Amino acid sequence: LNPMKPQSLEEHFESIQDFRRAEGRRYPLSKLLIIIVMAMMSGASGYREIARFMRVNQRELIDHLAWPRPQTPSYETLRTILSNIDFNVLNQLFDQWMRQVQTTSQADWIAIDGKAIRSTVTDYCTASQNFVSMVSAFNQRTGLVISQEAFENKKSDEVSVVITLIQKLNQQGLVFSLDALHCKKNS
């Protein structure tokens, strides 16, 4: 690899350990993850919608991704990947790639917000529900998410995750917009 040339997202994803059995590795995991990202950027929100995206764009995916087979995988394959992938590793690699290709400049407006992820609630019948939330930092100038962090509400809170994101950006002159939740009174 050329040290001056940034790695592609696929090259970053190639470092993810493939958890599938040898018989189940008909399609490279890194290419499947790239297609999942593309499908989600196109509005797909579930494995069946991602499979539909793959079928509709099959010719382009085969041509542009050096796809190893003449057909796309089933939605069961996608469900298996989405159920078993280590989100923290995937998020860390995506974050590394994003920092490589996306730069922030002084006076950029960064919107930071957290959202609960649907279908992650546990203990839903009790007052101490647990769920996963995602906090994203969005660059208004470029229209891109430049960093994100997931957390469980029983283990962390949005305020501490936001502080971590701001520290990760580590740049002077950025303007942040946040919910009122992040306003603190001086002691």
Side-chain angles (χ1 to χ4, degrees):
L1 290 174
N2 181 350
M4 298 306 288
K5 182 183 174 203
Q7 282 187 307
S8 69
L9 183 57
E10 184 177 352
E11 289 170 324
H12 274 81
F13 286 167
E14 285 172 354
S15 67
I16 296 175
Q17 183 71 32
D18 197 336
F19 54 85
R20 299 172 294 170
R21 298 176 316 187
E23 302 84 35
R25 295 182 187 181
R26 293 185 186 106
Y27 302 94
L29 182 62
S30 60
K31 291 187 186 301
L32 286 171
L33 292 171
I34 290 293
I35 294 171
I36 289 169
V37 168
M38 290 169 40
M40 293 177 92
M41 290 175 67
S42 298
S45 60
Y47 58 87
R48 288 182 189 261
E49 290 178 20
I50 294 169
R52 191 174 312 116
F53 171 87
M54 292 174 80
R55 280 192 311 276
V56 168
N57 297 291
Q58 182 173 347
R59 178 62 21 222
E60 290 81 10
L61 295 172
I62 290 170
D63 291 346
H64 296 290
L65 289 178
W67 196 247
R69 299 173 64 99
Q71 68 272 4
T72 57
S74 66
Y75 70 83
E76 290 93 354
T77 300
L78 296 170
R79 182 180 62 210
T80 300
I81 289 171
L82 292 170
S83 313
N84 295 299
I85 195 80
D86 184 343
F87 174 78
N88 292 324
V89 170
L90 185 67
N91 188 45
Q92 181 183 17
L93 291 169
F94 188 83
D95 206 38
Q96 287 172 3
W97 173 75
M98 202 59 195
R99 281 196 306 268
Q100 208 178 13
V101 297
Q102 161 65 35
T103 58
T104 54
S105 55
Q106 278 197 326
D108 272 357
W109 285 71
I110 310 297
I112 298 180
D113 195 19
K115 297 289 180 209
I117 298 177
R118 187 171 87 188
S119 302
T120 61
V121 176
T122 57
D123 304 325
Y124 61 90
C125 292
T126 68
S128 60
Q129 293 179 350
N130 191 27
F131 53 89
V132 176
S133 290
M134 176 72 72
V135 176
S136 301
F138 179 81
N139 187 325
Q140 299 286 342
R141 178 181 55 85
T142 62
L144 296 171
V145 172
I146 56 175
S147 192
Q148 59 191 13
E149 288 287 329
F151 69 94
E152 287 185 46
N153 71 309
K154 281 191 175 181
K155 297 179 181 176
S156 188
D157 63 278
E158 185 175 328
V159 173
S160 59
V161 173
V162 165
I163 291 169
T164 302
L165 275 179
I166 291 172
Q167 289 170 343
K168 254 195 329 192
L169 293 173
N170 192 23
Q171 184 175 341
Q172 296 292 322
L174 296 176
V175 178
F176 294 98
S177 62
L178 304 157
D179 291 336
L181 163 74
H182 304 285
C183 297
K184 289 189 174 182
K185 195 175 188 181
N186 288 341
S187 331

